[in-house]
Amino acid sequence: MKLLYKDFVEEVISVLVASFFENEDYHTLCFAKGEDDLVTNMDLEIEKEFTNLVKKHYPEHLVIGEEFAQNKLTDDWTWIIDPIDGTVNFASGSPLYGLQFSLYYQKEGIVSAIYLPATGDFLYAEKDAGAYHNGNRIILKDSDNLKKSIVSFGDFSHSNPSSREKQLYLLANLEDEVGKLRIYGSSAIDFGYVACGRSQAHVMFSKRIWEMSAGMLLIREAQGFTSKVGDAFIVASDPDLLQLIESLLENYD
């Protein structure tokens, strides 16, 4: 099946990687972003360059970005970008960060792209055309033993602070049901690792569309499982693991 946007996505990633992530002459500067977050000049400049590339190839398409064009999603063709997901990790020298963007039409995911610069992992998906890891088709498999599963969580959400007690509840009640619990600090890592089979589920409570839009489509197209229970977004490679997390959330009061 022909992948309609893959050439464009690969061009975007090639340009951004060469200009920023692999450019030894590029100097990164960090700035405070509110009381609890950071932004770098790279975040800002990547988003600007991404928007320029979209407008060059698809002038009628809109762009929603974390740093600039934070408009609400409409039915129009819209690209959504998180230029560096895991900025705090990136700024501190941790490799747990990534570039992620997606294309939506009529509020439905059409294209998903996640690139992890530290490892070179490139994850790509198109609606009804499958998901791919470095060019190879991804077909997620059920877990042989949930006790060996790794479940990751998003950071305690700033966009949805009322979810924090619920997240603590889930962490406590999953501890003895799965192998390991993780908070990586980057949804690009969280979704990418589930797609690659490095973890088996991810739960996030964020209300920020650029943190989840690429990952949800990626896991669905990888033949994984996605769900939303209240304000929790869940992806999993195994239906039993998904059901376990869903049941805990449904029983939370």
Side-chain angles (χ1 to χ4, degrees):
M1 183 178 294
K2 183 173 176 56
L3 298 170
L4 299 178
Y5 290 91
K6 190 167 183 288
D7 288 345
F8 170 68
V9 168
E10 288 180 338
E11 177 187 341
V12 168
I13 289 175
S14 177
V15 168
L16 296 180
V17 168
S19 299
F20 300 101
F21 296 108
E22 293 181 354
N23 183 356
E24 295 181 357
D25 295 324
Y26 187 88
H27 298 288
T28 304
L29 302 173
C30 297
F31 309 94
K33 182 182 176 182
E35 296 181 359
D36 304 302
D37 208 353
L38 290 177
V39 66
T40 70
N41 55 329
M42 189 183 290
D43 289 274
L44 304 176
E45 291 175 27
I46 286 176
E47 190 168 316
K48 288 180 181 177
E49 182 62 24
F50 176 83
T51 301
N52 290 338
L53 290 167
V54 169
K55 294 303 180 183
K56 174 183 174 182
H57 289 270
Y58 305 104
E60 73 282 9
H61 288 195
L62 305 178
V63 176
I64 292 176
E66 179 180 6
E67 307 304 338
F68 295 112
Q70 297 183 21
N71 298 315
K72 290 184 178 180
L73 186 65
T74 67
D75 286 336
D76 294 325
W77 289 95
T78 304
W79 293 88
I80 303 167
I81 180 171
D82 192 343
I84 302 178
D85 183 75
T87 300
V88 173
N89 289 350
F90 170 73
S92 65
S94 165
L96 298 177
Y97 65 91
L99 162 70
Q100 58 183 356
F101 55 92
S102 58
L103 173 64
Y104 270 57
Y105 179 61
Q106 295 183 340
K107 297 186 177 72
E108 186 174 16
I110 305 298
V111 171
S112 166
I114 293 176
Y115 180 73
L116 307 181
T119 56
D121 290 301
F122 170 44
L123 297 130
Y124 180 80
E126 280 190 24
K127 184 177 181 294
D128 300 327
Y132 302 83
H133 175 217
N134 292 341
N136 299 311
R137 185 74 180 263
I138 301 170
I139 306 292
L140 290 175
K141 299 178 180 179
D142 295 352
S143 302
D144 294 330
N145 184 349
L146 293 189
K147 290 283 189 178
K148 296 180 181 179
S149 296
I150 297 173
V151 179
S152 71
F153 285 79
D155 288 330
F156 288 97
S157 177
H158 293 300
S159 65
N160 185 15
S162 63
S163 68
R164 295 175 188 177
E165 291 299 323
K166 193 180 302 182
Q167 183 159 327
L168 288 169
Y169 166 84
L170 271 181
L171 286 163
N173 284 274
L174 279 173
E175 182 179 10
D176 294 328
E177 302 296 329
V178 300
K180 297 291 181 181
L181 301 172
R182 297 284 185 261
I183 296 179
Y184 294 117
S186 163
S187 61
I189 293 289
D190 290 309
F191 289 117
Y193 277 17
V194 174
C196 293
R198 297 170 191 164
S199 59
Q200 286 63 53
H202 174 55
V203 184
M204 71 183 306
F205 292 92
S206 175
K207 292 183 177 180
R208 295 167 176 163
I209 190 171
W210 49 84
E211 293 183 343
M212 67 189 72
S213 59
M216 299 296 283
L217 176 63
L218 174 67
I219 300 305
R220 282 197 296 270
E221 288 298 321
Q223 299 185 26
F225 303 89
T226 67
S227 180
K228 185 175 185 292
V229 179
D231 55 355
F233 292 85
I234 314 160
V235 298
S237 59
D238 185 285
D240 293 332
L241 182 54
L242 181 78
Q243 186 176 23
L244 171 62
I245 297 168
E246 286 178 326
S247 66
L248 288 170
L249 285 166
E250 289 164 355
N251 291 327
Y252 175 82
D253 54 30

